[in-house]
Amino acid sequence: MDPALDTWDFSSPLISLWINRFYIYLGFAFGFSLWICFQIVIRKQNKNSPEKTTPKASQNLMTNGYISHPKKEVFVSGVKIFYGSQTGTAKGFATILAEALSSLNLPVAMINLKDYDPDDRLIEEVTSKNVCAFLVATYTDGQPPEAAWFCKWLEEAANDFRFGKAYLKMRYAVFGLGNSVYLSHFNTVGKNVDKWLWMLGAHRVMTRGEGDGNVVKSKHGSVEADFTAWKTKFISRLQALCKGERKHCGGNCKKGKCESNQRGSEVAEPGSHVQEELPHRDAEDEEPFGSTNEEESDTEDHLSSNPVIDVEDLGKIMDHVKKEKREKEQLEGETSAIRSTVKSEASERRAMITPALREALTKQGYQLIGSHSGVKLCRWTKSMLRGRGGCYKHTFYGIESHRCMETTPSLACANKCVFCWRHHTNPVGTEWRWKMDQPEMILKEAIENHQNMIKQFKGVPGVKEERFEEGMTVKHCALSLVGEPIMYPEINKFLKLLHECKISSFLVTNAQFPAEIRDLKPVTQLYVSVDASTKDSLKKIDRPLFRDFWQRFLDSLKALAAKQQRTVYRLTLVKAWNVDELQAYAELVSLGNPDFIEVKGVTYCGESSASSLTMANVPWHEEVVRFVCELVDLIPDYEVACEHEHSNCLLIAHKKFKIGREWWTWIDYSRFQELIQEYEDSGGSKTFSAKDYMAKTPHWALFGANERGFDPKDTRYQRKNKSKDISGC
């Protein structure tokens, strides 16, 4: 034996552990493996345990001896049934529907459209989670019985770009009552209400129903049976909405996101029926709805990136194609018409209002007159009829807005301004090359059309009876609707007819016709639009057609300086385009020496391919005030006189209208009529000046007053949907 081993003591524990270390390692490994397996089993059991599915808050409550149930989400808060009825049938159906809905335990309200004010109350449905059912009948000649004001408001709002395509994010269903014996007007009201609501962004919960009083053609044998069938579907649909049910897509969408209904999915409320909220085109006479620029680009991207077209997208794509085709045909038609006019001056002149133009302007609420004129009811006229205040002309000059007629004898214009309210639906030209109507006919039909539009307000909620009666007599005429009134060859005769009818005249020109300004007879107040103060900015903002536009612009201002009656510069501020041209504006003021300068922030008119204007170009009222104060410092003969905060507008007046410490910017209209009559009787030899018919300005209209230009006789109405600015004027 090795002597060295004799020194080892094998009975020592340490030596034993060292010799058997392999078995120890193996034991530790086996134990660790068992521990891991044990943990996995425990986790699986905990995951499958019913206690895990209970929220932590609920577990805590259960341990304390009681249970709290989570608050149930409400998908439908109630149902509102709107009806418009002449013989009582629609009202009877509304009552039947209300009784049938009582089983759903939902609040149900019946509303007569005759007494309903959509301007005030319809926007409330956006946030109410109500489902609105419209039961409307079509009466003689396609008219809406007892719902004329509601339908009129809905039509104007749907065709007014200032409201936009997402104004009414509400859920609705429509049932129309009609008789197919009158085929040309069958269910016209129901179809239109459905279409206009859709155009304003509302979402159908089901397809429109149509009741037919003609038992031969009725789908179910009678109008009552048609309603019963629709009512059954509506209640079934409502039950699904109350449960929060919705139809899912077929699973073909990428990344689990449905691409088939971008518009609906963005604004659909919980429980809304995505598939059935799609814009149904279930009537041949429903027009395709135009898309915004964003929608057009989305359509183009979709076409380029995906060769397979969803059925839901087909409507947008066809709208886009049809729109391009119409624009191309219109452009080709205008080009060929211009060429034919140039080649054959001796041939008969064409009408200014083409069928396509008539259709576009009629949708915007115009009442067209003859072949080149139009009249439209201003929103401020409606506002003052209801005691909600007048426009800035009421504040600055004492106009009675409810007695003001907004019209033009020429829809054509020589500019294509970026802030054009009509998105250039009106024609353009540098000279009169159309048929010409006589001024007597234009004025007569303008007054008649204006009165007919006023008549529609009889009985409308909120309209003051005394103002309605006054509104039937036109006292003022604003020749500033659209186009260039001074282009009309018989403008002087038209003005004379206005004054003979004791109607004041406010004429606006775009400063491109200096000769016509010089030849113009006296008007109550003559405006010149001064949208920019340099040649480059004027070209960018007004986009005039004349090559010598700048010289014409300067000559127009010089012609204005020679006028003896009231003259006004009209400045429209466009942020980042013309607000930094103070010194240049001051020089233009000295050139035309106007009596007044109106400074107004531009109003955003919505997206348009004809303009690059955005909301970023709209100045705040405080910015307009700052601009005005800085401009007044550069023109010592002027001061800030009045303010109309609601229109984002201020008035700078010449100091000659400040007598003592009081401003006299208002107009004595009776005195003006006396002076113009003396002028006409003397053959133009007896002239008069602006100071001869001025009147004292009330305190509430002055700059710095607490009222900020709002007449205290009226009640200011704050629109609930403050995200939309549709003020205008």
Side-chain angles (χ1 to χ4, degrees), residues 527-547:
Y527 288 80
V528 169
S529 294
V530 182
D531 301 323
S533 60
T534 66
K535 183 177 181 180
D536 290 339
S537 58
L538 185 68
K539 183 177 181 180
K540 182 170 63 174
I541 294 175
D542 279 5
R543 298 187 293 185
L545 301 184
F546 285 107
R547 291 186 177 181

Side-chain angles (χ1 to χ4, degrees), residues 486-699:
I486 208 168
M487 284 181 69
Y488 177 50
E490 293 288 347
I491 185 62
N492 278 324
K493 189 173 182 181
F494 184 80
L495 291 169
K496 182 179 179 182
L497 292 172
L498 280 175
H499 299 152
E500 288 177 355
C501 295
K502 306 303 179 184
I503 299 174
S504 65
S505 52
F506 289 74
L507 188 146
V508 180
T509 175
N510 288 321
Q512 289 296 295
F513 296 92
E516 285 76 2
I517 293 177
R518 286 191 289 268
D519 296 338
L520 194 68
K521 288 189 175 182
V523 296
T524 309
Q525 192 154 278
L526 177 60
Y527 288 80
V528 169
S529 294
V530 182
D531 301 323
S533 60
T534 66
K535 183 177 181 180
D536 290 339
S537 58
L538 185 68
K539 183 177 181 180
K540 182 170 63 174
I541 294 175
D542 279 5
R543 298 187 293 185
L545 301 184
F546 285 107
R547 291 186 177 181
D548 59 339
F549 67 91
W550 183 245
Q551 189 58 51
R552 285 177 168 271
F553 177 76
L554 297 177
D555 290 345
S556 295
L557 300 186
K558 294 176 183 176
L560 196 74
K563 294 295 178 181
Q564 293 181 301
Q565 291 74 43
R566 294 167 66 108
T567 58
V568 183
Y569 274 12
R570 193 174 189 175
L571 274 64
T572 301
L573 294 187
V574 186
K575 192 191 292 186
W577 284 19
N578 64 356
V579 296
D580 299 322
E581 303 172 358
L582 281 168
Q583 187 58 47
Y585 273 120
E587 294 173 1
L588 291 181
V589 170
S590 63
L591 189 65
N593 195 29
D595 294 321
F596 305 98
I597 305 169
E598 291 178 3
V599 184
K600 185 179 186 300
V602 68
T603 300
Y604 178 58
C605 306
E607 292 182 356
S608 168
S609 57
S611 172
S612 59
L613 197 71
T614 68
M615 277 300 297
N617 299 117
V618 180
W620 296 96
H621 184 66
E622 291 74 15
E623 293 176 308
V624 177
V625 171
R626 183 168 62 251
F627 175 90
V628 167
C629 293
E630 292 176 357
L631 178 60
V632 166
D633 291 339
L634 300 176
I635 45 178
D637 293 332
Y638 295 83
E639 289 183 13
V640 185
C642 302
E643 174 186 24
H644 192 247
E645 183 190 30
H646 198 164
S647 294
N648 197 13
C649 187
L650 282 87
L651 179 69
I652 301 173
H654 197 282
K655 289 181 180 179
K656 66 182 179 182
F657 292 96
K658 192 173 187 180
I659 301 176
R661 294 185 177 181
E662 297 179 330
W663 282 108
W664 290 63
T665 66
W666 276 35
I667 297 173
D668 186 338
Y669 294 100
S670 299
R671 180 57 181 157
F672 171 80
Q673 297 298 344
E674 295 173 0
L675 294 170
I676 197 68
Q677 187 62 52
E678 294 174 1
Y679 171 87
E680 294 292 348
D681 293 343
S682 66
S685 61
K686 191 172 183 179
T687 61
F688 57 97
S689 69
K691 295 183 69 175
D692 292 330
Y693 56 101
M694 63 182 183
K696 185 180 177 181
T697 310
H699 178 268

Side-chain angles (χ1 to χ4, degrees), residues 378 380-381 383-384 387-404 467 470 475-476 506 525 527 566 598 642-644 647 649 651 665-667 669 695-698 700-702 709-714 729:
C378 174
W380 289 107
T381 301
S383 176
M384 202 160 190
R388 294 182 173 181
C391 72
Y392 69 88
K393 295 188 189 73
H394 171 65
T395 299
F396 296 171
Y397 317 117
I399 272 186
E400 296 173 274
S401 301
H402 63 297
R403 305 183 68 180
C404 182
R467 290 193 178 178
E470 292 173 348
K475 186 176 180 181
H476 314 286
F506 289 74
Q525 192 154 278
Y527 288 80
R566 294 167 66 108
E598 291 178 3
C642 302
E643 174 186 24
H644 192 247
S647 294
C649 187
L651 179 69
T665 66
W666 276 35
I667 297 173
Y669 294 100
K696 185 180 177 181
T697 310
W700 58 263
L702 299 177
F710 188 86
D711 193 339
K713 293 180 181 178
D714 290 334
C729 187

Side-chain angles (χ1 to χ4, degrees), residues 27 68 74 90 131 142 194 220 236 359 367 431 486 489 586 664 712:
S68 174
V74 177
V131 174
D194 184 31
H220 302 89
S236 176
E359 180 183 3
Q367 298 294 320
E431 61 181 2
I486 208 168
W664 290 63

Side-chain angles (χ1 to χ4, degrees), residues 65-330:
Y66 61 94
I67 300 175
S68 174
H69 296 285
K71 186 177 181 181
K72 186 177 180 181
E73 185 175 359
V74 177
F75 298 104
V76 178
S77 60
V79 180
K80 288 189 177 180
I81 305 172
F82 298 84
Y83 65 89
S85 182
Q86 181 74 23
T87 61
T89 305
K91 183 179 180 180
F93 286 172
T95 304
I96 294 172
L97 181 60
E99 293 174 353
L101 292 173
S102 61
S103 62
L104 299 182
N105 295 321
L106 286 174
V108 179
M110 287 177 53
I111 300 171
N112 189 345
L113 289 173
K114 178 184 178 181
D115 306 319
Y116 186 73
D117 188 350
D119 196 28
D120 286 356
R121 301 171 58 188
L122 195 58
I123 193 65
E124 297 174 0
E125 306 307 329
V126 172
T127 57
S128 66
K129 287 190 178 181
N130 287 326
V131 174
C132 299
F134 293 88
L135 278 56
V136 288
T138 301
Y139 197 54
T140 308
D141 297 329
Q143 297 301 313
E146 304 297 328
W149 164 240
F150 176 82
C151 291
K152 181 70 175 176
W153 181 91
L154 206 59
E155 180 183 15
E156 290 184 354
N159 292 289
D160 191 333
F161 52 81
R162 292 170 291 175
F163 282 87
K165 296 183 179 180
Y167 183 72
L168 288 177
K169 297 178 183 178
M170 53 180 276
R171 292 176 289 178
Y172 77 98
V174 174
F175 181 80
L177 294 80
N179 194 316
S180 59
V181 171
Y182 307 99
L183 187 60
S184 59
H185 302 297
F186 175 57
N187 258 311
T188 300
V189 177
K191 294 174 183 177
N192 285 337
V193 168
D194 184 31
K195 178 176 68 174
W196 294 329
L197 286 169
W198 184 90
M199 292 172 67
L200 286 168
H203 302 281
R204 299 182 182 96
V205 299
M206 60 181 290
T207 306
R208 181 184 68 248
E210 292 187 348
D212 192 350
N214 182 4
V215 295
V216 178
K217 294 291 184 69
S218 172
K219 290 182 180 179
H220 302 89
S222 67
V223 66
E224 291 82 4
D226 292 335
F227 171 71
T228 301
W230 178 87
K231 178 192 69 175
T232 302
K233 292 181 181 179
F234 178 72
I235 293 175
S236 176
R237 182 73 191 97
L238 203 57
Q239 288 173 331
L241 289 174
C242 289
K243 296 176 182 177
E245 295 179 5
R246 66 166 69 196
K247 279 188 180 179
H248 297 285
C249 66
N252 298 322
C253 299
K254 297 179 180 179
K255 297 181 180 179
K257 295 181 180 180
C258 184
E259 299 172 352
S260 60
N261 183 23
Q262 294 178 3
R263 176 189 169 203
S265 61
E266 288 174 359
V267 293
E269 294 183 21
S272 60
H273 200 306
V274 175
Q275 293 283 61
E276 290 186 7
E277 285 177 355
L278 288 172
H280 302 286
R281 278 153 178 79
D282 47 4
E284 294 179 358
D285 58 342
E286 284 192 16
E287 299 175 359
F289 307 118
S291 60
T292 63
N293 292 342
E294 184 178 353
E295 289 171 335
E296 291 172 4
S297 62
D298 288 344
T299 303
E300 292 172 359
D301 294 341
H302 187 72
L303 282 171
S304 60
S305 62
N306 187 3
V308 180
I309 301 173
D310 290 338
V311 174
E312 291 88 347
D313 291 332
L314 192 57
K316 286 185 179 180
I317 296 169
M318 292 305 298
D319 289 350
H320 179 62
V321 173
K322 289 179 181 179
K323 183 179 179 181
E324 285 188 342
K325 184 178 179 181
R326 285 197 304 268
E327 291 177 350
K328 184 177 180 181
E329 290 176 352
Q330 184 178 0

Side-chain angles (χ1 to χ4, degrees), residues 365-467:
Y366 286 84
Q367 298 294 320
L368 300 179
I369 303 165
S371 63
H372 55 74
S373 307
V375 63
K376 191 174 187 290
L377 205 62
C378 174
R379 104 163 183 89
W380 289 107
T381 301
K382 305 174 188 177
S383 176
M384 202 160 190
L385 282 171
R386 305 168 80 180
R388 294 182 173 181
C391 72
Y392 69 88
K393 295 188 189 73
H394 171 65
T395 299
F396 296 171
Y397 317 117
I399 272 186
E400 296 173 274
S401 301
H402 63 297
R403 305 183 68 180
C404 182
M405 176 178 69
E406 193 172 17
T407 187
T408 181
S410 171
L411 291 164
C413 187
N415 289 347
K416 300 183 72 175
C417 303
V418 295
F419 49 77
C420 178
W421 275 51
R422 311 309 166 197
H423 286 188
H424 313 293
T425 50
N426 57 306
V428 292
T430 57
E431 61 181 2
W432 190 271
R433 48 185 170 84
W434 301 276
K435 292 179 181 179
M436 188 182 72
D437 300 326
Q438 293 304 307
E440 292 86 357
M441 182 274 290
I442 296 173
L443 180 58
K444 178 177 179 293
E445 293 196 17
I447 293 176
E448 289 177 356
N449 282 314
H450 178 80
Q451 290 173 335
N452 288 334
M453 289 187 286
I454 294 291
K455 287 178 183 177
Q456 295 176 3
F457 282 80
K458 187 174 181 62
V460 170
V463 171
K464 295 189 174 183
E465 185 175 350
E466 66 277 9
R467 290 193 178 178

